[in-house]
Amino acid sequence: MARKLLHSIFLLIFTLSGICYADDYYSQHAIGWHWYDDPKEKSIKKEEHAIYKNNPNLAVKEARNKITTALNQVIAEPSIENVEKYIALQEQLNNRAEKISDLWQQALLKNPELNYSINHPTNNVGLQVYHEQESKLKDEAIKQFSQKTGLFFFYKSTCPYCVRFAPIIKSFAERNGMTIIPITLDGISLPEFPNSKIDSGQAAQFHVTATPSVFAVNPYTQKAFPVAYGLTSETELRDNIYNIMTRYKGEL
């Protein structure tokens, strides 16, 4: 399955770019093209092949021109002969893509450190293990985060998104042992945070322009970073905090 997928990817890339370079492309005539085996022509082709081998950019350019010309010929003058020419080029393209796909697999077996899927699996079992490990890393990061950093939660009692978000962020903070300071912008506390602080300039200090808004604040370093704006899930909160810790490592 992986090999078929890789082959399909190569084929798509080559098709989009117009690349169809193949050794046989320049050294042999294609069936149905009505060429003849002229000794002089064979000699010329060998010289061309040597040039192309030493200059792959030229080879690709020439191949692209030939397949583009063949396709345009089919469109401009539809005929069996023109279609056959284009199919022959496409077949060479398919064969070359399959060969590269096989070589790709061989290279990965020879050099496993080049295999991206080892650390970033694509199959279901591998993805499950990957996500489990990623979840553990995030949980550990949240624990470290909660030891030094708290959350400022800005809201309005009349904001429906704030009303829905309040129990979410409260549950998140309690589950992860985080300190949260709720700040009401209209002086009215939500049921989840009856002892909310009334805004006394903090919103302006943090440049709060939307509610709900959540900021990570480290009282020791005096650093603050935005965590979330609008109605956000616990998963998104965790992911955002993990990204902040990864990006601003050592600053929080």
Side-chain angles (χ1 to χ4, degrees):
M1 181 64 71
R3 176 169 294 184
K4 289 183 178 179
L5 177 60
L6 186 60
H7 171 257
S8 298
I9 292 174
F10 273 120
L11 186 59
L12 176 61
I13 292 174
F14 287 160
T15 300
L16 292 177
S17 64
I19 300 172
C20 61
Y21 171 64
D23 295 340
D24 294 341
Y25 190 88
Y26 298 103
S27 60
Q28 299 180 10
H29 66 273
I31 297 175
W33 283 41
H34 309 294
W35 293 351
Y36 60 93
D37 295 329
D38 187 333
K40 294 182 179 180
E41 182 177 331
K42 285 185 177 181
S43 177
I44 294 175
K45 287 183 177 296
K46 287 182 179 179
E47 293 179 3
E48 289 180 347
H49 178 72
I51 295 175
Y52 294 141
K53 186 175 182 179
N54 295 326
N55 190 342
N57 293 331
L58 178 61
V60 172
K61 181 178 179 181
E62 291 292 334
R64 181 184 295 115
N65 290 338
K66 285 184 178 295
I67 195 170
T68 299
T69 299
L71 176 60
N72 292 341
Q73 191 70 33
V74 169
I75 296 173
E77 298 181 30
S79 68
I80 293 295
E81 181 181 4
N82 288 337
V83 171
E84 287 176 346
K85 291 178 181 180
Y86 184 68
I87 290 176
L89 288 174
Q90 286 293 346
E91 184 63 22
Q92 291 181 11
L93 169 63
N94 184 72
N95 292 337
R96 177 49 59 106
E98 185 173 355
K99 181 178 180 180
I100 293 176
S101 178
D102 290 338
L103 293 173
W104 186 285
Q105 294 295 332
Q106 293 177 37
L108 293 182
L109 290 174
K110 183 179 179 181
N111 305 279
E113 69 277 4
L114 298 177
N115 194 340
Y116 180 82
S117 64
I118 289 180
N119 295 319
H120 303 82
T122 56
N123 61 72
N124 292 333
V125 177
L127 283 173
Q128 182 178 354
V129 174
Y130 176 80
H131 289 313
E132 287 174 355
Q133 293 301 313
E134 185 181 46
S135 181
K136 289 180 180 179
L137 288 175
K138 290 181 179 180
D139 288 340
E140 183 60 32
I142 296 299
K143 287 182 181 179
Q144 296 178 10
F145 175 90
S146 62
Q147 293 175 3
K148 298 180 179 180
T149 309
L151 299 177
F152 275 32
F153 169 41
F154 294 92
Y155 70 88
K156 292 180 181 179
S157 63
T158 55
C159 167
Y161 301 106
C162 299
V163 173
R164 182 64 65 86
F165 182 60
I168 294 175
I169 192 171
K170 181 180 180 180
S171 174
F172 177 79
E174 290 177 346
R175 180 177 293 106
N176 293 285
M178 288 184 182
T179 299
I180 181 169
I181 299 178
I183 301 175
T184 171
L185 301 184
D186 59 5
I188 302 175
S189 298
L190 290 174
E192 290 79 9
F193 301 103
N195 299 316
S196 295
K197 305 287 186 180
I198 297 178
D199 177 41
S200 57
Q202 293 91 342
Q205 181 182 356
F206 284 86
H207 305 288
V208 176
T209 58
T211 56
S213 294
V214 181
F215 292 82
V217 181
N218 187 322
Y220 303 102
T221 63
Q222 300 296 309
K223 296 287 186 178
F225 300 89
V227 172
Y229 295 105
L231 184 56
T232 309
S233 68
E234 287 195 37
T235 299
E236 290 175 306
L237 286 171
R238 188 180 71 154
D239 290 346
N240 291 350
I241 290 175
Y242 178 75
N243 291 335
I244 289 172
M245 293 193 67
T246 302
R247 182 177 180 183
Y248 300 103
K249 188 175 183 180
E251 296 186 42
L252 276 175

